[in-house]
Amino acid sequence: MSVATTPKIYVAVVGVGLVGTELVEQLLTIPQQTSPFQLISLSSSSRTIFDAKNPIQSGSNWKEKLAASSQKPNFSLLTEQLAALVASGQKVAIVDNTSSDDIAKLYPGWLENGISVVTPNKKAYSGERDLYEKIISASKASGARFLNESTVGAGLPVISTLKELVATGDKIVKIEGVFSGTMSYIFNNFSTGASDGPTFSSVVSVAREKGYTEPHPADDLNGFDVARKLTILTRTITSGSHTPTALPALQSFASVQTESLIPKPLEGISSGDEFVSRLPEFDAHFAKLRTEASSEGKVLRFVGVVDVAGGIVKAGLEKYSTTHAFATSLGGSDNIIMFHTERYGARPLIVQGAGAGAAVTAMGVLGDLFKLV
């Protein structure tokens, strides 16, 4: 079936921040005559537009149109409108570009109504197990799909690779990787194999100035972002595996064994500026770790591990040889993920590249939309 005769997919986008705006722009750059998508709704935190008869076109000033709208977001109404399209025989997808827990809770209802869900939002897939199981059940019942490539590694083909490995019956032995662009940048610069180098606090400070960290660096150093990604990978394995695994049934990302790099005396500090100003007090501790690693011919890396054979899911600081790919292949804030499987036994399958940024994240989301065609 040619693109011209392929049924159109009606798309509603929730969240038009950095990633959402980039997604809309990428979607609208597809030539209208060949695009399988009809962009019919946009929702920001304060306004919404919906028009199934007059989709948003390339060249239209959609930002002005949204800003001028007097309609407030009403997700119950949006669900009804999209469900009506499904009932009339149309294919419909909703894209959640937010990081909202409340929006994530709407996924089961959308799926039950036959609306496919595409998102880079990690909350639903790494939060409470009950919500995740409802998403799985709703998808199976209606046939609508949930796609979340950009929840791990932005646009990198991590989720799709894992799904194909599992679906084709390969046995996943272990997944290990540098999943946080922030942690990648910090340790690529802090630990190079030499016994000395810049102080830990100075590297964190520079990372913050460059926008690699959250405004409060503790939100990165606590390891929660990595724990969420490991939870998503673990659930992808257990929900798709042909046979039971030894992996734990994670209640949420909080069930992951996660090593926080926040010094205990700084755990309660609510100000990012104060946190950064006091971090130098603990430079000696991190320098000691670097020296110990260097004396063993190793570097420090903050990694996530899903050990299927051992039934362990953990995130923390580990030491790797200076000849290991985690030491030699990473630059800037790159992610690198190794899949150790039965078929890829001698050498792991490796996915590497930019694991953050609006353009690559939106690309991953748009790629998921194309999977619905």
Side-chain angles (χ1 to χ4, degrees):
M1 184 180 288
S2 69
V3 174
T5 57
T6 300
K8 295 289 186 179
I9 298 173
Y10 288 81
V11 178
V13 173
V14 178
V16 287
L18 287 174
V19 173
T21 294
E22 180 68 28
L23 171 67
V24 172
E25 296 297 340
Q26 289 184 17
L27 193 151
L28 294 178
T29 60
I30 304 169
Q32 189 176 333
Q33 62 271 26
T34 59
S35 177
F37 307 115
Q38 300 268 39
L39 182 57
I40 61 170
S41 178
L42 297 173
S43 298
S44 68
S45 58
S46 58
R47 292 175 172 80
T48 189
I49 53 178
F50 180 96
D51 191 339
K53 293 184 178 179
N54 299 289
I56 297 166
Q57 307 289 347
S58 175
S60 66
N61 199 326
W62 61 268
K63 290 183 180 179
E64 278 188 10
K65 186 176 180 181
L66 180 60
S69 174
S70 60
Q71 291 180 289
K72 304 297 182 187
N74 182 333
F75 294 111
S76 294
L77 175 60
L78 179 61
T79 301
E80 290 176 11
Q81 292 169 320
L82 297 179
L85 287 171
V86 174
S88 69
Q90 305 298 333
K91 295 177 74 173
V92 180
I94 191 161
V95 179
D96 170 24
N97 294 307
T98 75
S99 58
S100 165
D101 282 301
D102 291 335
I103 300 296
K105 291 174 184 175
L106 300 175
Y107 295 1
W110 288 337
L111 291 163
E112 285 169 4
N113 280 284
I115 303 162
S116 292
V117 177
V118 175
T119 185
N121 184 353
K122 292 185 280 289
K123 298 296 176 65
Y125 306 109
S126 62
E128 291 301 317
R129 188 171 66 184
D130 179 60
L131 174 59
Y132 182 74
E133 290 177 347
K134 286 179 180 177
I135 289 171
I136 297 285
S137 297
S139 175
K140 287 180 178 178
S142 71
R145 298 175 67 186
F146 63 94
L147 296 163
N148 60 314
E149 184 68 76
S150 288
T151 56
V152 181
L156 296 176
V158 177
I159 297 293
S160 54
T161 297
L162 179 58
K163 283 182 176 179
E164 288 183 11
L165 290 170
V166 172
T168 58
D170 198 357
K171 181 179 179 182
I172 310 296
V173 178
K174 182 170 71 172
I175 302 171
E176 60 181 332
V178 175
F179 292 95
S180 163
T182 302
M183 293 293 205
S184 179
Y185 177 85
I186 289 172
F187 285 99
N188 290 343
N189 286 275
F190 176 71
S191 179
T192 62
S195 59
D196 57 5
T199 62
F200 185 75
S201 62
S202 69
V203 173
V204 172
S205 181
V206 170
R208 186 183 186 223
E209 290 168 7
K210 290 186 174 183
Y212 287 129
T213 74
E214 296 292 334
H216 197 320
D219 292 335
D220 294 293
L221 297 178
N222 60 20
F224 288 175
D225 177 65
V226 177
R228 284 190 180 277
K229 293 169 182 175
L230 296 179
T231 302
I232 293 168
L233 295 176
T234 299
R235 288 173 170 173
T236 301
I237 294 170
T238 55
S239 65
S241 182
H242 296 175
T243 56
T245 74
L247 286 170
L250 301 173
Q251 186 60 39
S252 76
F253 75 94
S255 303
V256 174
Q257 300 174 32
T258 307
E259 176 188 0
S260 172
L261 298 187
I262 303 171
K264 285 200 176 296
L266 304 188
E267 284 180 348
I269 294 178
S270 59
S271 162
D273 289 337
E274 183 183 352
F275 180 89
V276 171
S277 71
R278 289 196 56 192
L279 197 55
E281 298 171 25
F282 306 91
D283 279 338
H285 165 70
F286 289 102
K288 183 170 181 276
L289 296 177
R290 175 172 59 191
T291 300
E292 290 172 353
S294 176
S295 69
E296 299 172 23
K298 296 179 178 179
V299 298
L300 298 170
R301 294 292 181 264
F302 194 92
V303 301
V305 177
V306 178
D307 184 347
V308 182
I312 297 170
V313 185
K314 63 178 183 176
L317 206 55
E318 302 284 352
K319 292 183 282 190
Y320 288 88
S321 165
T322 53
T323 60
H324 191 279
F326 290 179
T328 62
S329 298
L330 288 171
S333 57
D334 278 1
N335 283 185
I336 183 169
I337 297 93
M338 290 184 169
F339 294 90
H340 300 268
T341 77
E342 193 172 74
R343 293 174 187 156
Y344 288 93
R347 290 179 301 280
L349 187 161
I350 299 176
V351 176
Q352 178 185 347
V360 290
T361 302
M363 180 192 74
V365 174
L366 184 54
D368 273 348
L369 280 172
F370 270 106
K371 292 168 189 168
L372 299 175
V373 176

